[in-house]
Amino acid sequence: MIQHEEYLLQKDTKKTSIKQIFLTNKTTSSNLSVLNGFQSITPIIVSAIEQLTSRQYLYSLTLISWLKVLDSVEPLLKHSCAWCPYCYQVWREQGEVIYIPLLWLIENVKFCPQHRILLENTCPYCHQRMLNFCQPGYCSHCGEWLGQRKPPLNLATYFSSVEYLENYQRNISCLQELIAITPSLSKRPQIQDVYLYLHERCVHLDEEGLKDLSFSFWIRSHLISNPQRCNHAYRPGISLDFLSEIVRCFNITPSQLFL
Ligand SMILES: [Zn+2]
Ligand SMILES: [Zn+2]
């Protein structure tokens, strides 16, 4: 017996079925977001696929675990699939599995962290954007192989200041670690975990100490003075920027915060 079978069999026409997600509107961002991210039916869909495939822990291939931490209002996932041609090429030459890492689909991620080249989203042969559900490594329209070695870029030229570049790289490292630790989480992280950590770290700081924290105004006004207000109703999540700022300010890793 599959739970939530209405999503599979399209019994309830008001609900999005898995079939709809896979077969219709294949280029819409919402479908990418349904399976990988932050929509309310994502856990249901993933659970159904786990049952259908007899594979556990498929949720760790998605961002579901961070639903109660990151701000879902942000456009977290890209509108269409993106890829690193260098990664594809190396994986094929080395006989490795060719797949689409979750990191590539996240809106903030513009470059391959490993090869420092721009992630691509348009086929260099037919100039079309990939359908969301395509065979990794191949164009979903013309079928051409998308892998290619390219020289690394000087990322500094893409950012208006060193500060922006460092901020970008911090955010990406933070994202990489969030994705990496997902299978090791004993429970789904909650935004209160973050607030509690901040409260414990900051409640004893005086005005002078708080001044060193660039987000101190936020803590001062909403967290330290009103820690009891830090609940779901008050604020559903924090931005990736803010999370990575916490990591930087307190010199911790996301693992130390959530594991
Ligand atoms: Zn790469
Ligand atoms: Zn193509």
Side-chain angles (χ1 to χ4, degrees):
M1 177 69 183
I2 303 287
Q3 291 172 348
H4 306 295
E5 64 175 11
E6 66 272 24
Y7 289 99
L8 303 175
L9 304 175
Q10 224 171 330
K11 281 181 177 172
D12 183 345
T13 52
K14 291 196 187 105
K15 291 180 176 170
T16 309
S17 71
I18 290 184
K19 186 179 167 191
Q20 277 175 302
I21 291 167
F22 275 101
L23 298 180
T24 61
N25 302 319
K26 287 183 184 172
T27 55
T28 66
S29 58
S30 61
N31 289 348
L32 210 56
S33 167
V34 164
L35 277 189
N36 295 300
F38 274 17
Q39 299 204 8
S40 55
I41 68 161
T42 305
I44 294 169
I45 299 285
V46 172
S47 156
I49 294 176
E50 283 179 345
Q51 292 174 67
L52 286 169
T53 57
S54 300
R55 294 290 302 268
Q56 285 182 298
Y57 311 120
L58 293 184
Y59 69 89
S60 63
L61 303 175
T62 74
L63 291 172
I64 291 174
S65 301
W66 304 101
L67 193 66
K68 306 285 188 192
V69 173
L70 294 175
D71 194 341
S72 56
V73 177
E74 272 191 349
L76 205 63
L77 290 161
K78 289 176 178 154
H79 289 285
S80 61
C81 188
W83 65 91
C84 168
Y86 203 126
C87 281
Y88 274 163
Q89 189 63 27
V90 170
W91 292 339
R92 182 157 90 161
E93 289 170 8
Q94 295 179 349
E96 293 178 26
V97 173
I98 293 164
Y99 72 109
I100 301 173
L102 180 57
L103 190 75
W104 292 353
L105 305 181
I106 296 174
E107 179 61 33
N108 301 54
V109 183
K110 309 294 183 197
F111 306 91
C112 171
Q114 195 180 347
H115 299 114
R116 284 191 289 128
I117 59 175
L118 273 170
L119 294 180
E120 298 186 356
N121 62 11
T122 307
C123 171
Y125 304 100
C126 70
H127 309 292
Q128 297 191 71
R129 286 183 176 234
M130 287 314 103
L131 298 176
N132 288 336
F133 303 103
C134 53
Q135 183 181 358
Y138 295 89
C139 174
S140 53
H141 299 281
C142 69
E144 287 288 340
W145 170 245
L146 299 171
Q148 187 186 0
R149 286 177 188 267
K150 290 188 167 188
L153 300 166
N154 177 7
L155 294 193
T157 60
Y158 285 82
F159 293 86
S160 54
S161 69
V162 174
E163 192 185 350
Y164 277 122
L165 172 60
E166 287 174 352
N167 190 47
Y168 170 82
Q169 288 173 322
R170 255 196 321 272
N171 282 1
I172 302 308
S173 300
C174 187
L175 266 175
Q176 284 179 297
E177 190 165 338
L178 291 183
I179 292 172
I181 65 175
T182 299
S184 310
L185 294 169
S186 56
K187 65 177 180 62
R188 194 171 287 182
Q190 304 289 318
I191 189 63
Q192 284 91 339
D193 300 339
V194 180
Y195 290 144
L196 196 63
Y197 177 83
L198 286 178
H199 185 65
E200 286 170 2
R201 290 293 302 257
C202 299
V203 73
H204 303 298
L205 294 177
D206 56 16
E207 287 288 309
E208 200 53 36
L210 285 171
K211 244 196 291 185
D212 294 336
L213 306 175
S214 61
F215 54 80
S216 65
F217 70 94
W218 188 84
I219 296 175
R220 199 162 39 226
S221 58
H222 296 297
L223 184 69
I224 292 183
S225 57
N226 299 295
Q228 73 281 5
R229 292 178 62 195
C230 295
N231 55 36
H232 289 286
Y234 170 61
R235 190 181 168 94
I238 54 176
S239 68
L240 179 64
D241 267 341
F242 186 65
L243 182 59
S244 102
E245 184 74 351
I246 294 169
V247 167
R248 182 186 71 80
C249 283
F250 295 110
N251 196 24
I252 55 168
T253 63
S255 308
Q256 290 171 295
L257 195 53
F258 296 109
L259 288 185

